[in-house]
Amino acid sequence: MELTGRIESSNAAEWNEKITGALPATGDLILECAELSYISSAGIRVIINAYKEMKKHGGTVILKDVAPPVMEVLELTGVSDFVTIS
Amino acid sequence: METQRQFSTEKLEAANVIDYISEIIEENGVPMDTAVKINICTDEIVSNILNHSNAEYIDVKLNINQQDATVTISFTDNGTPFNPLTDAATPDITIPLEDREEGGLGVFIVKKMMKNVTYRHQDNCNIFTIGT
């Protein structure tokens, strides 16, 4: 699944619904982030929710091609220590 | 340069304030990495006001120092008094994600990303100011 634009308070619920609807039954959730400009804490909550769901089935979240502004927020919030970044 | 605009909170989304600020800072040559940090912090501050303060309006005052491209923004709202610097919980970012509770990350991000962050309560308003 591809994340694009910005994920913030105004559209986080929409993204949460999209991602929740796309969770794989097995394996890992891969989120392509090359076109993601930035995320705020609302976006971080979306990623944490997805991670919690994946963890229940033994999977994880993989974030690919993360841009520096997104990486900074992932690091600040400690999320980068738990999800896979490739 | 300095500019100011008042937003009614009725039907307001943080994205409306972000769009207003980002257009001005882009026109005034603020570097992209600084602009992104301002957008993120604006989302945190405005969404907190909209979700928790019951304010009727938010005044946004923006000052750009064109010599060094630093930006100062104050957000004034007439909602419930709340000092995010002392009243917001500090999240433990070492806790595994599956054990985390929601909340607290927004103010934490603002404090980490901005060089200056101040709060004061004056004339029955919360005044939260950030500076790059």
Side-chain angles (χ1 to χ4, degrees):
Chain A
M1 181 172 188
E2 189 179 9
L3 305 184
T4 57
R6 52 200 213 196
I7 305 181
E8 55 197 4
S9 61
S10 309
N11 64 7
E14 199 179 312
W15 275 109
N16 196 51
E17 199 172 315
K18 274 188 203 170
I19 293 173
T20 305
L23 293 177
T26 58
D28 299 323
L29 172 67
I30 299 171
L31 298 173
E32 171 55 58
C33 301
E35 299 300 320
L36 182 61
S37 313
Y38 66 80
I39 57 173
S40 69
S41 66
I44 288 295
R45 281 193 287 278
V46 172
I47 291 173
I48 291 176
N49 282 341
Y51 179 88
K52 285 179 176 176
E53 289 302 315
M54 293 307 300
K55 194 83 177 169
K56 286 179 192 167
H57 306 107
T60 191
V61 173
I62 299 173
L63 302 176
K64 293 185 74 174
D65 302 317
V66 178
V70 177
M71 192 64 206
E72 183 174 356
V73 178
L74 293 170
E75 286 176 347
L76 275 180
T77 54
V79 172
S80 57
D81 293 335
F82 299 99
V83 300
T84 302
I85 295 171
S86 70
Chain B
M1 64 83 66
E2 191 167 284
T3 186
Q4 188 167 359
R5 180 167 160 187
Q6 184 171 98
F7 294 85
S8 163
T9 55
E10 195 180 355
K11 295 181 182 170
L12 182 68
E13 292 191 331
N16 304 132
V17 183
I18 293 170
D19 291 343
Y20 162 72
I21 291 174
S22 60
E23 189 178 330
I24 295 167
I25 59 182
E26 193 176 313
E27 283 169 3
N28 283 276
V30 174
M32 182 62 84
D33 59 335
T34 303
V36 168
K37 287 179 183 174
I38 290 169
N39 288 352
I40 292 169
C41 293
T42 299
D43 190 50
E44 307 300 355
I45 294 164
V46 175
S47 63
N48 271 345
I49 295 170
L50 293 176
N51 293 333
H52 304 299
S53 86
N54 292 315
E56 294 161 327
Y57 65 83
I58 304 172
D59 263 324
V60 178
K61 191 172 171 186
L62 178 64
N63 183 292
I64 301 174
N65 180 333
Q66 281 161 320
Q67 288 185 323
D68 61 7
T70 55
V71 181
T72 304
I73 307 173
S74 67
F75 300 86
T76 301
D77 73 81
N78 66 336
T80 309
F82 179 76
N83 181 347
L85 302 180
T86 56
D87 300 345
T90 302
D92 181 350
I93 60 165
T94 64
I95 294 176
L97 302 185
E98 60 269 35
D99 298 328
R100 290 203 196 180
E101 302 290 335
E102 282 196 10
L105 280 179
V107 174
F108 179 78
I109 288 173
V110 173
K111 287 199 272 194
K112 291 282 183 187
M113 283 192 159
M114 292 290 118
K115 279 195 183 145
N116 301 301
V117 181
T118 62
Y119 169 86
R120 69 182 196 278
H121 192 255
Q122 186 180 309
D123 301 329
N124 291 320
C125 287
N126 296 297
I127 305 172
F128 194 53
T129 304
I130 57 174
T132 63

